[in-house]
Amino acid sequence: MRSLSLLLVLIALFGQVSSQKAFHSRRLGTEGQIVGRILSEYDPSSRPPVRDHADNSAILVITNIFINRLIWQNNYAEVDLYLRQQWQDSRLKYDVDTREGIDEIRLPQNRKIWEPDTYFTSGKELTGNDKGSKHIVVEPSGYVRSSERKVLELPYTYGTMFPFTNSRQFTIKLGSYQYDIDDIVYLWANSPPLVNPIEVSQDLLRGDLTFEEASAGDCVGNYTVGVYSCIDAHVYFSASTLSGLMSWFLPSLFLLIGSWLHFWIHGSWSVPRTISAAVPFFILAAYYIFMREDSYTQAQGAWLGFCLVLTFFSFVEYFLVICCGGRRSIRYKTLSGQEEHPMGAAKETVEVAYDQGCSSFRNNNGIDVISRVAFPIVTVIFLVIYFIFIV
């Protein structure tokens, strides 16, 4: 009995799968017939006709952008996005039986229709129309929805409001290459919260540098041959200063301060002085040698370069103290005669003196004294200039 029930279930599942495959095949056949019918006399080189009862002759193109991925380079951002456009083309209207369950048809890659000649004026396009990167859907009313993947190289501005937030901003500006404002008008799709002019992936909402906001508007391109419709959007990304300080600023500052510790250590103590002077310099030098140029921004590179130079001078100061450093002299006093101590007369230390040489300022290490004051003052001055003019 149980085997019979299992057999009936398998037969029912097989019948359901077969019916779904048949329905899918029948739908594909119907969509193919519709595509062939609406494109039989279609001219993709001509602009769609003016809508009935329209106030002007321009085609309205509703646009929004989905940013999928970002790669921050030294002076520009590599933006991987999807350009989504919608417009009306009455030549693509078609009738379909409601029982077919077809609300829209997807245009095959080898079939062409008229599309807006949209191009980005604010950056360089890195990729063209790759295979599978464009999808076009046509509704029964002739309403067309297009989605196309683009990879752009956009310059950005980098700034900070220390110590609150670090921010980066780039501008996406697009318009028509051939059609003027009497033929095509661009508008941002704006129906929050479902549809916004600029949308981003979940990956850009978390991490060190996250999406903050986008400001979309209109711009008009005035050229010698006419006036063209144009829209733009300013996209902002921000990160807390604390994350930046913890990742690169504070470690490099600690290395810089660590290279000063030997200023307070006597010149005769060679091992701790060597560690303090050499280790920070070689760590920063290795970072500069092995890290790529696009691993840090221009402002970060300026700070790390300053740290490298100052630790180098601290290293030089270490050798100067060795060359001019002190020499220790000890004077002994014999306690008893030679006959009482066959192995040699016992001696007692009476005086220990340090001859500082050219580094002596009243029995103190003069070069170290100067360095204790000069290095912190130079660092403070550079930090003031850095946060005012460089960052």
Side-chain angles (χ1 to χ4, degrees):
M1 189 66 180
R2 182 177 300 174
S3 301
L4 180 60
S5 301
L6 181 60
L7 180 61
L8 292 175
V9 170
L10 292 176
I11 293 175
L13 290 175
F14 179 77
Q16 184 178 1
V17 172
S18 300
S19 62
Q20 289 178 354
K21 288 183 177 181
F23 174 78
H24 183 65
S25 300
R26 186 168 61 253
R27 174 166 179 162
L28 290 178
T30 305
E31 290 184 359
Q33 294 175 2
I34 295 174
V35 170
R37 186 169 65 250
I38 63 178
L39 296 182
S40 59
E41 299 180 357
Y42 187 87
D43 182 9
S45 62
S46 62
R47 200 198 65 165
V50 181
R51 296 170 298 169
D52 296 335
H53 310 292
D55 296 334
N56 55 68
S57 61
I59 300 298
L60 188 63
V61 180
I62 308 298
T63 307
N64 87 305
I65 290 176
F66 179 83
I67 301 177
N68 182 46
R69 183 175 55 89
L70 270 175
I71 299 178
W72 298 102
Q73 304 291 355
N74 193 20
N75 297 314
Y76 64 90
E78 186 176 308
V79 185
D80 187 346
L81 57 82
Y82 286 91
L83 173 63
R84 298 169 176 171
Q85 301 180 103
Q86 306 174 37
W87 67 92
Q88 181 74 33
D89 191 343
S90 58
R91 299 173 297 176
L92 299 176
K93 288 183 179 180
Y94 59 90
D95 297 324
V96 63
D97 194 338
T98 56
R99 292 174 297 180
E100 296 289 344
I102 298 178
D103 298 326
E104 59 188 28
I105 58 173
R106 182 172 176 177
L107 203 66
Q109 294 286 334
N110 60 343
R111 306 303 295 267
K112 304 299 181 182
I113 64 172
W114 180 90
E115 300 177 50
D117 57 340
T118 306
Y119 81 108
F120 293 89
T121 64
S122 58
K124 176 184 176 182
E125 186 173 339
L126 300 181
T127 58
N129 296 336
D130 299 333
K131 184 178 180 181
S133 65
K134 181 188 293 186
H135 304 284
I136 298 178
V137 172
V138 182
E139 298 180 0
S141 62
Y143 199 72
V144 183
R145 303 197 311 272
S146 170
S147 176
E148 184 177 4
R149 180 174 177 262
K150 300 279 189 179
V151 180
L152 305 177
E153 188 177 282
L154 299 175
Y156 67 87
T157 57
Y158 176 82
T160 183
M161 294 180 293
F162 185 82
F164 301 104
T165 58
N166 293 325
S167 63
R168 298 183 186 182
Q169 170 195 346
F170 58 82
T171 300
I172 300 176
K173 182 183 295 186
L174 57 89
S176 175
Y177 185 80
Q178 177 182 358
Y179 297 98
D180 59 24
I181 199 169
D182 294 328
D183 294 323
I184 288 182
V185 173
Y186 289 92
L187 287 179
W188 287 113
N190 192 11
S191 300
L194 299 179
V195 180
N196 293 289
I198 302 295
E199 301 174 350
V200 299
S201 63
Q202 291 295 324
D203 293 337
L204 299 180
L205 297 176
R206 54 179 179 266
D208 295 335
L209 200 61
T210 59
F211 173 76
E212 183 179 358
E213 63 176 348
S215 174
D218 299 326
C219 57
V220 177
N222 294 304
Y223 304 97
T224 56
V225 293
V227 179
Y228 293 79
S229 176
C230 171
I231 55 177
D232 61 1
H234 304 284
V235 187
Y236 300 89
F237 287 79
S238 64
S240 65
T241 301
L242 181 61
S243 62
L245 293 178
M246 294 299 294
S247 62
W248 61 272
F249 183 79
L250 289 182
S252 59
L253 181 61
F254 290 153
L255 287 174
L256 179 61
I257 296 176
S259 68
W260 304 342
L261 296 180
H262 64 92
F263 300 157
W264 283 267
I265 302 175
H266 195 272
S268 61
W269 293 34
S270 60
V271 174
R273 285 183 64 91
T274 303
I275 295 176
S276 172
V279 171
F281 170 72
F282 285 117
I283 291 178
L284 290 171
Y287 181 84
Y288 254 78
I289 293 174
F290 295 106
M291 294 299 291
R292 298 182 306 172
E293 183 180 354
D294 57 359
S295 299
Y296 44 82
T297 64
Q298 183 177 0
Q300 292 174 348
W303 166 251
L304 294 175
F306 170 77
C307 292
L308 181 62
V309 171
L310 213 60
T311 53
F312 172 75
F313 282 116
S314 175
F315 202 22
V316 171
E317 193 271 355
Y318 161 76
F319 285 104
L320 289 177
V321 172
I322 291 178
C323 295
C324 302
R327 299 290 185 268
R328 187 176 65 170
S329 61
I330 304 176
R331 187 166 61 87
Y332 298 99
K333 177 182 178 182
T334 304
L335 295 179
S336 59
Q338 178 71 23
E339 65 279 359
E340 298 179 7
H341 300 277
M343 298 301 297
K347 297 180 180 180
E348 178 185 8
T349 301
V350 176
E351 181 180 355
V352 178
Y354 293 92
D355 180 14
Q356 300 289 338
C358 63
S359 62
S360 177
F361 291 151
R362 295 185 179 179
N363 295 328
N364 289 317
N365 197 331
I367 297 179
D368 281 341
V369 171
I370 296 175
S371 301
R372 294 171 194 173
V373 179
F375 278 74
I377 290 178
V378 171
T379 302
V380 171
I381 293 175
F382 179 83
L383 285 175
V384 172
I385 298 174
Y386 178 77
F387 287 116
I388 293 179
F389 299 101
I390 301 180
V391 175

